[in-house]
mmCIF file of all heavy atoms in Angstrom:
data_model
loop_
_atom_site.group_PDB
_atom_site.id
_atom_site.type_symbol
_atom_site.label_atom_id
_atom_site.label_comp_id
_atom_site.label_asym_id
_atom_site.label_seq_id
_atom_site.Cartn_x
_atom_site.Cartn_y
_atom_site.Cartn_z
ATOM 1 N N LYS C 681 -7.115 65.458 -8.071
ATOM 2 C CA LYS C 681 -6.147 66.375 -7.462
ATOM 3 C C LYS C 681 -5.956 65.961 -6.011
ATOM 4 O O LYS C 681 -6.930 65.782 -5.289
ATOM 5 C CB LYS C 681 -6.669 67.809 -7.544
ATOM 6 C CG LYS C 681 -5.566 68.850 -7.476
ATOM 7 C CD LYS C 681 -6.112 70.237 -7.685
ATOM 8 C CE LYS C 681 -6.037 70.793 -9.080
ATOM 9 N NZ LYS C 681 -4.739 71.049 -9.615
ATOM 10 N N THR C 682 -4.702 65.788 -5.617
ATOM 11 C CA THR C 682 -4.420 65.310 -4.259
ATOM 12 C C THR C 682 -3.678 66.389 -3.477
ATOM 13 O O THR C 682 -2.681 66.937 -3.963
ATOM 14 C CB THR C 682 -3.570 64.021 -4.321
ATOM 15 O OG1 THR C 682 -4.226 63.113 -5.189
ATOM 16 C CG2 THR C 682 -3.421 63.396 -2.953
ATOM 17 N N LEU C 683 -4.183 66.710 -2.308
ATOM 18 C CA LEU C 683 -3.567 67.751 -1.474
ATOM 19 C C LEU C 683 -3.103 67.137 -0.157
ATOM 20 O O LEU C 683 -3.742 66.219 0.362
ATOM 21 C CB LEU C 683 -4.583 68.859 -1.138
ATOM 22 C CG LEU C 683 -5.115 69.693 -2.285
ATOM 23 C CD1 LEU C 683 -6.363 69.077 -2.861
ATOM 24 C CD2 LEU C 683 -5.425 71.094 -1.797
ATOM 25 N N LEU C 684 -2.026 67.679 0.360
ATOM 26 C CA LEU C 684 -1.528 67.223 1.653
ATOM 27 C C LEU C 684 -1.465 68.429 2.579
ATOM 28 O O LEU C 684 -0.717 69.383 2.325
ATOM 29 C CB LEU C 684 -0.126 66.620 1.492
ATOM 30 C CG LEU C 684 0.420 65.982 2.763
ATOM 31 C CD1 LEU C 684 -0.263 64.649 3.023
ATOM 32 C CD2 LEU C 684 1.929 65.782 2.663
ATOM 33 N N ALA C 685 -2.285 68.400 3.649
ATOM 34 C CA ALA C 685 -2.264 69.497 4.621
ATOM 35 C C ALA C 685 -1.417 69.066 5.807
ATOM 36 O O ALA C 685 -1.636 67.983 6.365
ATOM 37 C CB ALA C 685 -3.682 69.821 5.062
ATOM 38 N N VAL C 686 -0.448 69.897 6.170
ATOM 39 C CA VAL C 686 0.453 69.583 7.279
ATOM 40 C C VAL C 686 -0.070 70.306 8.519
ATOM 41 O O VAL C 686 -0.083 71.545 8.561
ATOM 42 C CB VAL C 686 1.887 70.042 6.948
ATOM 43 C CG1 VAL C 686 2.843 69.665 8.074
ATOM 44 C CG2 VAL C 686 2.344 69.440 5.629
ATOM 45 N N CYS C 687 -0.522 69.528 9.504
ATOM 46 C CA CYS C 687 -1.246 70.134 10.633
ATOM 47 C C CYS C 687 -0.364 70.231 11.881
ATOM 48 O O CYS C 687 0.499 69.369 12.113
ATOM 49 C CB CYS C 687 -2.475 69.297 10.985
ATOM 50 S SG CYS C 687 -3.518 68.975 9.563
ATOM 51 N N GLY C 688 -0.655 71.274 12.676
ATOM 52 C CA GLY C 688 0.103 71.489 13.907
ATOM 53 C C GLY C 688 -0.344 70.560 15.028
ATOM 54 O O GLY C 688 0.388 70.328 15.985
ATOM 55 N N SER C 689 -1.522 70.020 14.919
ATOM 56 C CA SER C 689 -1.991 69.058 15.914
ATOM 57 C C SER C 689 -3.048 68.181 15.246
ATOM 58 O O SER C 689 -3.628 68.558 14.216
ATOM 59 C CB SER C 689 -2.625 69.775 17.116
ATOM 60 O OG SER C 689 -3.854 70.333 16.712
ATOM 61 N N ILE C 690 -3.303 67.036 15.851
ATOM 62 C CA ILE C 690 -4.279 66.111 15.279
ATOM 63 C C ILE C 690 -5.687 66.708 15.385
ATOM 64 O O ILE C 690 -6.527 66.538 14.502
ATOM 65 C CB ILE C 690 -4.133 64.731 15.953
ATOM 66 C CG1 ILE C 690 -4.732 63.657 15.064
ATOM 67 C CG2 ILE C 690 -4.665 64.697 17.332
ATOM 68 C CD1 ILE C 690 -4.237 62.271 15.413
ATOM 69 N N GLU C 691 -5.927 67.476 16.463
ATOM 70 C CA GLU C 691 -7.240 68.133 16.599
ATOM 71 C C GLU C 691 -7.450 69.147 15.478
ATOM 72 O O GLU C 691 -8.546 69.281 14.944
ATOM 73 C CB GLU C 691 -7.367 68.849 17.952
ATOM 74 C CG GLU C 691 -7.535 67.937 19.144
ATOM 75 C CD GLU C 691 -6.202 67.432 19.673
ATOM 76 O OE1 GLU C 691 -5.147 67.812 19.101
ATOM 77 O OE2 GLU C 691 -6.201 66.658 20.640
ATOM 78 N N GLU C 692 -6.361 69.835 15.114
ATOM 79 C CA GLU C 692 -6.471 70.822 14.027
ATOM 80 C C GLU C 692 -6.957 70.126 12.741
ATOM 81 O O GLU C 692 -7.812 70.638 12.020
ATOM 82 C CB GLU C 692 -5.099 71.456 13.797
ATOM 83 C CG GLU C 692 -5.082 72.553 12.746
ATOM 84 C CD GLU C 692 -3.651 73.081 12.580
ATOM 85 O OE1 GLU C 692 -3.174 73.766 13.503
ATOM 86 O OE2 GLU C 692 -3.028 72.791 11.553
ATOM 87 N N GLY C 693 -6.384 68.942 12.490
ATOM 88 C CA GLY C 693 -6.833 68.171 11.328
ATOM 89 C C GLY C 693 -8.320 67.874 11.410
ATOM 90 O O GLY C 693 -9.051 67.990 10.422
ATOM 91 N N GLY C 694 -8.768 67.510 12.617
ATOM 92 C CA GLY C 694 -10.192 67.226 12.814
ATOM 93 C C GLY C 694 -11.049 68.443 12.504
ATOM 94 O O GLY C 694 -12.099 68.345 11.867
ATOM 95 N N HIS C 695 -10.581 69.629 12.930
ATOM 96 C CA HIS C 695 -11.342 70.859 12.657
ATOM 97 C C HIS C 695 -11.401 71.142 11.153
ATOM 98 O O HIS C 695 -12.417 71.600 10.643
ATOM 99 C CB HIS C 695 -10.705 72.045 13.382
ATOM 100 C CG HIS C 695 -10.925 71.989 14.866
ATOM 101 N ND1 HIS C 695 -12.194 71.954 15.412
ATOM 102 C CD2 HIS C 695 -10.071 71.949 15.906
ATOM 103 C CE1 HIS C 695 -12.101 71.892 16.735
ATOM 104 N NE2 HIS C 695 -10.824 71.882 17.065
ATOM 105 N N ILE C 696 -10.305 70.865 10.461
ATOM 106 C CA ILE C 696 -10.305 71.122 9.006
ATOM 107 C C ILE C 696 -11.328 70.223 8.320
ATOM 108 O O ILE C 696 -12.062 70.658 7.425
ATOM 109 C CB ILE C 696 -8.889 70.899 8.421
ATOM 110 C CG1 ILE C 696 -7.947 71.966 8.979
ATOM 111 C CG2 ILE C 696 -8.914 70.957 6.897
ATOM 112 C CD1 ILE C 696 -6.498 71.750 8.633
ATOM 113 N N VAL C 697 -11.380 68.966 8.747
ATOM 114 C CA VAL C 697 -12.369 68.053 8.156
ATOM 115 C C VAL C 697 -13.772 68.631 8.327
ATOM 116 O O VAL C 697 -14.558 68.718 7.366
ATOM 117 C CB VAL C 697 -12.284 66.657 8.820
ATOM 118 C CG1 VAL C 697 -13.454 65.785 8.406
ATOM 119 C CG2 VAL C 697 -10.972 65.987 8.452
ATOM 120 N N SER C 698 -14.086 69.056 9.549
ATOM 121 C CA SER C 698 -15.419 69.629 9.791
ATOM 122 C C SER C 698 -15.648 70.843 8.911
ATOM 123 O O SER C 698 -16.732 71.023 8.347
ATOM 124 C CB SER C 698 -15.563 70.048 11.250
ATOM 125 O OG SER C 698 -15.569 68.922 12.062
ATOM 126 N N ALA C 699 -14.626 71.687 8.767
ATOM 127 C CA ALA C 699 -14.797 72.927 7.992
ATOM 128 C C ALA C 699 -15.002 72.623 6.508
ATOM 129 O O ALA C 699 -15.806 73.277 5.837
ATOM 130 C CB ALA C 699 -13.577 73.826 8.191
ATOM 131 N N ILE C 700 -14.307 71.622 5.996
ATOM 132 C CA ILE C 700 -14.468 71.266 4.573
ATOM 133 C C ILE C 700 -15.894 70.782 4.334
ATOM 134 O O ILE C 700 -16.568 71.186 3.381
ATOM 135 C CB ILE C 700 -13.434 70.186 4.164
ATOM 136 C CG1 ILE C 700 -12.033 70.807 4.122
ATOM 137 C CG2 ILE C 700 -13.787 69.584 2.809
ATOM 138 C CD1 ILE C 700 -10.912 69.798 3.878
ATOM 139 N N VAL C 701 -16.352 69.913 5.217
ATOM 140 C CA VAL C 701 -17.717 69.396 5.066
ATOM 141 C C VAL C 701 -18.732 70.526 5.223
ATOM 142 O O VAL C 701 -19.679 70.648 4.443
ATOM 143 C CB VAL C 701 -17.978 68.269 6.097
ATOM 144 C CG1 VAL C 701 -19.439 67.856 6.083
ATOM 145 C CG2 VAL C 701 -17.088 67.071 5.796
ATOM 146 N N ALA C 702 -18.475 71.410 6.210
ATOM 147 C CA ALA C 702 -19.414 72.513 6.441
ATOM 148 C C ALA C 702 -19.475 73.440 5.241
ATOM 149 O O ALA C 702 -20.507 74.048 4.968
ATOM 150 C CB ALA C 702 -18.996 73.282 7.690
ATOM 151 N N ALA C 703 -18.374 73.526 4.490
ATOM 152 C CA ALA C 703 -18.364 74.419 3.316
ATOM 153 C C ALA C 703 -19.086 73.790 2.125
ATOM 154 O O ALA C 703 -19.145 74.381 1.048
ATOM 155 C CB ALA C 703 -16.921 74.744 2.941
ATOM 156 N N GLY C 704 -19.600 72.599 2.306
ATOM 157 C CA GLY C 704 -20.374 71.986 1.224
ATOM 158 C C GLY C 704 -19.512 71.260 0.211
ATOM 159 O O GLY C 704 -19.985 70.916 -0.870
#
Side-chain angles (χ1 to χ4, degrees):
K681 203 175 264 294
T682 308
L683 295 90
L684 186 75
V686 182
C687 308
S689 71
I690 201 161
E691 287 85 0
E692 183 182 289
H695 288 302
I696 293 172
V697 170
S698 292
I700 289 174
V701 172

